[in-house]
Amino acid sequence: NAGVTQTPKFQVLKTGQSMTLQCAQDMNHEYMSWYRQDPGMGLRLIHYSVGAGITDQGEVPNGYNVSRSTTEDFPLRLLSAAPSQTSVYFCASSYSAGNSPLHFGNGTRLTVT
Amino acid sequence: GQQVMQIPQYQHVQEGEDFTTYCNSSTTLSNIQWYKQRPGGHPVFLIQLVKSGEVKKQKRLTFQFGEAKKNSSLHITATQTTDVGTYFCAGRDTDKLIFGTGTRLQVFP
């Protein structure tokens, strides 16, 4: 049982480059979300989805796009990377929004130079 | 929007001492969840509290939900080195989960 799978584990980008962080879950969870973690800032919600075809903005959505074409996949796109986006990114999923345990992926450590 | 703050930000204790972290929300919460993140790892779900004044225990860990459902606490009795990590609370804001800033616990043997 894979749970939540994130790729890549590490990534280095130059300012202005674009990339997609992949997230897939095999638990048939309706709710999926992306968080970024910075020292002293906790986990901040970027975007989330309550089901296929539905996405919404979290606390810090600027500079990121998401889509949810299937229940399993929830990719996060950085359109034009900036040094301020250097962070650890976590994808998480749960059976329902906000009242069931979140299952996290192992994270992607992104550095933008 | 909802804001969730945790104190303290860091706590260093000697093994065997107790530890408490506090979580405060700017709005009333329908529920609160607690997570633990080991160094270099990802957050792992510990527990969910739903009822006003609810208290739950997991071995040496005691979780409380405030009467007004705007605050919560996690207390660890007689800490061990295996308790090292960052503890997060998270509150439900309509259809999303907002995390607190976390408390990093360091335990010295």
Side-chain angles (χ1 to χ4, degrees):
Chain A
N1 192 354
V4 179
T5 302
Q6 282 185 245
T7 55
K9 291 186 179 179
F10 302 94
Q11 184 71 51
V12 179
L13 292 177
K14 293 186 190 294
T15 298
Q17 287 184 318
S18 63
M19 80 158 296
T20 299
L21 307 185
Q22 301 292 344
C23 176
Q25 53 90 10
D26 62 359
M27 297 172 283
N28 203 30
H29 285 167
E30 288 297 323
Y31 181 80
M32 296 187 75
S33 53
W34 277 100
Y35 291 87
R36 60 176 288 174
Q37 184 171 29
D38 304 291
M41 303 292 288
L43 293 155
R44 292 184 292 169
L45 182 65
I46 304 171
H47 285 286
Y48 65 101
S49 168
V50 298
I54 305 168
T55 63
D56 209 341
Q57 296 181 348
E59 302 168 277
V60 288
N62 292 341
Y64 308 94
N65 274 358
V66 291
S67 60
R68 184 93 181 271
S69 55
T70 66
T71 299
E72 295 78 20
D73 300 297
F74 191 45
L76 178 71
R77 280 183 289 276
L78 281 71
L79 305 175
S80 178
S84 60
Q85 294 179 304
T86 294
S87 187
V88 179
Y89 292 84
F90 287 102
C91 178
S93 72
S94 65
Y95 179 72
S96 61
N99 58 7
S100 58
L102 272 178
H103 297 257
F104 282 81
N106 288 332
T108 295
R109 185 173 294 274
L110 175 68
T111 302
V112 182
T113 60
Chain B
Q2 177 185 300
Q3 292 186 342
V4 181
M5 301 299 294
Q6 274 183 262
I7 55 170
Q9 190 173 7
Y10 302 100
Q11 185 79 59
H12 299 169
V13 300
Q14 203 75 32
E15 190 173 22
E17 292 181 336
D18 292 356
F19 160 77
T20 304
T21 174
Y22 300 92
C23 179
N24 295 289
S25 171
S26 58
T27 59
T28 301
L29 302 168
S30 57
N31 62 38
I32 194 153
Q33 298 179 358
W34 285 91
Y35 292 78
K36 176 183 178 181
Q37 182 179 26
R38 295 183 187 273
H42 59 272
V44 175
F45 175 80
L46 293 176
I47 207 161
Q48 175 171 280
L49 304 172
V50 178
K51 298 177 184 175
S52 169
E54 188 171 12
V55 178
K56 286 188 177 180
K57 293 190 175 184
Q58 288 180 349
K59 298 183 180 178
R60 295 179 294 103
L61 278 61
T62 301
F63 303 85
Q64 263 188 306
F65 201 7
E67 293 290 342
K69 301 185 77 174
K70 294 182 73 173
N71 56 74
S72 181
S73 65
L74 158 59
H75 179 82
I76 302 178
T77 303
T79 54
Q80 300 175 358
T81 54
T82 53
D83 295 324
V84 165
T86 301
Y87 293 85
F88 292 99
C89 63
R92 181 181 178 185
D93 179 10
T94 56
D95 59 354
K96 55 189 179 290
L97 208 57
I98 302 299
F99 278 76
T101 44
T103 296
R104 184 188 297 179
L105 172 64
Q106 181 63 264
V107 180
F108 295 107

